Amino acid sequence: MKRSEMLTVASLLSIVLLMCHLADDFVRGISPVGPWALLTLPLFGGWMYATLVVGERRTGYFVNLLGGLIALMMPVLHMKRVWPATGIAKPGSFFFLFTLMALGALGIFSVIFSVRGLLNPQWGQTK
């Protein structure tokens, strides 16, 4: 598998998991639902466009770098809050915590691959 294909898969997984995580935040009441939530749609659409259409260009690597940083920040933002012993570990929290951990791992992966692609564009072309 080409390295740029691995970045594409990681970015698409990050997009799906971020959308699931945002929906879970709405359901839990962590983030208020309102018209501002519709602003995420063009952001996700632009990220998908950059991943699928211009993924092997500098613009694609840069957008994927930003997306990777956003994915990496999700666990940091949620876990810096001090949770009571029974606050986060209750029934139904597995998916919430799983998406946080998966987003962190995918974020690190995407940041590394995007930086390598930005520094050496030919690096993404090799097998």
Side-chain angles (χ1 to χ4, degrees):
M1 179 180 271
K2 288 181 9 179
R3 292 177 181 133
S4 60
E5 290 174 356
M6 288 189 271
L7 179 59
T8 299
V9 170
S11 295
L12 292 175
L13 275 172
S14 294
I15 291 168
V16 169
L17 287 174
L18 273 171
M19 293 173 87
C20 291
H21 181 74
L22 187 61
D24 201 18
D25 279 354
F26 292 149
V27 170
R28 292 177 182 279
I30 295 172
S31 298
V33 179
W36 71 270
L38 295 176
L39 294 175
T40 61
L41 298 178
L43 295 175
F44 286 131
W47 189 5
M48 274 193 268
Y49 178 82
T51 299
L52 296 172
V53 178
V54 293
E56 294 181 5
R57 297 185 193 155
R58 287 185 101 46
T59 306
Y61 284 125
F62 182 72
V63 172
N64 283 319
L65 174 64
L66 292 177
L69 289 172
I70 290 170
L72 182 58
M73 288 306 297
M74 284 301 116
V76 173
L77 292 173
H78 281 288
M79 294 300 180
K80 80 176 187 180
R81 178 178 169 193
V82 178
W83 296 90
T86 59
I88 198 166
K90 53 184 164 182
S93 295
F94 174 80
F95 185 70
F96 180 78
L97 293 172
F98 174 79
T99 57
L100 284 178
M101 296 300 134
L103 283 170
L106 285 168
I108 291 169
F109 182 83
S110 295
V111 166
I112 292 169
F113 268 63
S114 297
V115 168
R116 291 289 307 260
L118 283 169
L119 295 177
N120 184 6
Q122 290 79 26
W123 182 79
Q125 303 295 325
T126 61
K127 286 189 178 186

